[in-house]
Amino acid sequence: MIKAAVFDMDGTILDTIDDMTDSLNYSLRLCGHRGDFQASLVRYFFGSAALVAVERALASEAGAPQELLPEIGEAVSAERWGVSRAEAERVLEVYRPHYAAHCNIRTGPYPGIAKLLQRLRSSGIQTAVVSNKPDEAVQTLVREQFPGLFDCALGERAGLRRKPAPDMVSEALRLMDMDAEGAIYIGDTEVDVRTAENSRIPCVAVSWGFRSEAYLREVGAQCIAGSAEELGELLLGS
């Protein structure tokens, strides 16, 4: 029986891509880089924290192919395309405050998500968000988009390794006074699949987010939901 549902944020419960694209392009332009990326490509930049997203954008500007973007900052270094950590951090210094101030302009829940969260809570299931996006934006979005629907929310912060390390999931479960038994993880990227594996809890991947169903299957997703209603059936049995 499921006792706790731990959700990713971007591409899983919230469609955040337009606001992230706008803030990323603004930051890149201000720092003298290409700032005309389309959301259809930017979705491959995100998933592994804001600094990695900037590195992927700079690598893409330098010619990195789309199919390698999800691996940059993980298995592949952005330095292969001449991207320095110092330059990525310079862009990040612009991005973080700009996105924090503009994270809820064109962002909204995916269809059926709020209703699903309400059903989970009414069924006695605790809910949490763990995200690699900056913590200030996570707190703002949970407060404004999902008031009262999450027991805890964690974004990127000092002292917790980012996903796919299990630290954030473990901390969320601790805050809810839960252990891994009875917990399940829901996300939309390869990072989420690995996070669940590293946390030793089951995973449901969702195909409406930042990665396609075919790609999710390639990276090892075993259970994939195509809608909030289907996710509800998987989590609640009806």
Side-chain angles (χ1 to χ4, degrees):
M1 177 180 177
I2 295 171
K3 299 177 182 178
V6 181
F7 290 83
D8 171 55
M9 177 170 274
D10 299 321
T12 300
I13 58 172
L14 280 178
D15 186 356
T16 55
I17 194 62
D18 288 334
D19 284 335
M20 292 195 300
T21 297
D22 291 345
S23 284
L24 182 61
N25 280 331
Y26 169 86
S27 305
L28 290 166
R29 285 195 302 270
L30 200 65
C31 293
H33 293 282
R34 173 185 170 187
D36 62 349
F37 288 107
Q38 299 298 307
S40 58
L41 182 62
V42 172
R43 67 178 57 245
Y44 293 100
F45 297 166
F46 286 93
S48 299
L51 177 61
V52 176
V54 172
E55 289 181 328
R56 291 172 180 173
L58 294 174
S60 182
E61 178 185 40
Q66 177 179 314
E67 60 269 21
L68 280 182
L69 292 175
E71 297 302 318
I72 295 174
E74 297 289 345
V76 179
S77 173
E79 292 180 354
R80 177 185 296 185
W81 291 274
V83 176
S84 71
R85 176 59 62 90
E87 181 61 9
E89 290 177 344
R90 186 171 76 93
V91 177
L92 182 66
E93 288 180 2
V94 179
Y95 175 82
R96 287 186 71 114
H98 187 274
Y99 181 65
H102 300 84
C103 66
N104 199 21
I105 296 173
R106 296 202 285 162
T107 286
Y110 286 102
I113 288 296
K115 181 178 179 181
L116 171 60
L117 292 170
Q118 291 165 353
R119 289 183 63 204
L120 291 173
R121 295 181 67 78
S122 66
S123 299
I125 296 173
Q126 295 194 72
T127 54
V129 171
V130 294
S131 173
N132 278 341
K133 71 189 306 98
D135 188 61
E136 57 267 41
V138 170
Q139 302 306 324
T140 295
L141 290 170
V142 166
R143 182 176 63 252
E144 297 184 5
Q145 294 281 356
F146 302 107
L149 292 181
F150 284 102
D151 293 289
C152 69
L154 299 172
E156 183 187 18
R157 59 176 69 173
L160 285 177
R161 290 181 298 169
R162 62 177 172 83
K163 301 182 296 180
D167 300 38
M168 300 179 81
V169 172
S170 296
E171 177 65 5
L173 293 175
R174 185 190 71 80
L175 290 171
M176 294 187 293
D177 195 25
M178 298 285 297
D179 56 32
E181 185 177 355
I184 194 165
Y185 184 90
I186 302 100
D188 72 303
T189 72
E190 68 287 343
V191 171
D192 296 309
V193 174
R194 295 169 187 160
T195 299
E197 291 174 351
N198 292 336
S199 302
R200 298 183 179 181
I201 61 176
C203 179
V204 178
V206 301
S207 60
W208 59 73
F210 290 4
R211 304 291 189 268
S212 68
E213 180 174 348
Y215 182 84
L216 289 168
R217 294 197 183 282
E218 286 178 9
V219 297
Q222 300 295 313
C223 182
I224 300 176
S227 67
E229 292 74 20
E230 186 176 347
L231 178 58
E233 292 175 2
L234 291 168
L235 299 180
L236 295 166
S238 61

